[in-house]
Amino acid sequence: MYTAFGWLMMLPGAPLLYYGDEYGEYGAADPDNRHRMRFGDELSPVESAQRERVSALVRARSNLPGLRSRDYNTLLATETMLVVERGLGDDAVLVVIHVGTDTADAVFDVPADFLFETVDEMTGERVDLTGGRLSMPPRSVRYLYAE
């Protein structure tokens, strides 16, 4: 689910989150689809962790203007890996989404702006994209920007 939200937050246009989506509220067909919103201690540890991950993605969209840009350039698209450049110039963001269940390398042509001092918004980690290769953990999202 985390990777789906990572994809949603990087798409052009306004993302839509229905209440409860951020923590994985369950539901079925009508009338089971209208549970009340739960907060704080009412959430299980798994739901709280999911809420924190989704909140980090929403904050990243707010912090990185490139994620709100209409500019969209696909650099890699496979069954398990997507690499997209969003925005232009200083606002550019590389979005890397890996939906596979094993660690894998994203291999792509790195735009020149991202060859120096690239940072992952999700972890604060500095990332080396020299050689156009980025190791991705299973089911992960990275929003990379040039510092």
Side-chain angles (χ1 to χ4, degrees), residues 4-82:
F5 281 111
W7 176 74
L8 178 66
M9 289 300 133
M10 72 77 140
L11 286 174
L16 172 66
L17 289 171
Y18 191 67
Y19 79 94
D21 284 350
E22 70 277 12
Y23 63 82
E25 177 62 58
Y26 60 93
D30 197 11
D32 189 41
N33 61 344
R34 294 185 186 93
H35 298 154
R36 69 175 184 78
M37 184 74 173
R38 294 180 290 127
F39 302 93
D41 293 341
E42 296 176 299
L43 300 178
S44 73
V46 170
E47 290 171 328
S48 291
Q50 175 65 12
R51 184 182 167 282
E52 287 306 312
R53 287 190 298 268
V54 171
S55 293
L57 292 167
V58 171
R59 276 191 304 277
R61 184 173 171 98
S62 176
N63 293 342
L64 300 171
L67 291 178
R68 299 184 309 274
S69 168
R70 69 171 68 180
D71 299 301
Y72 187 105
N73 181 26
T74 303
L75 303 175
L76 174 70
T78 69
E79 286 184 18
T80 60
M81 194 81 64
L82 178 65

Side-chain angles (χ1 to χ4, degrees), residues 92-108:
V93 177
L94 277 182
V95 176
V96 186
I97 299 174
H98 175 48
V99 298
T101 56
D102 296 318
T103 297
D105 286 342
V107 180
F108 57 97

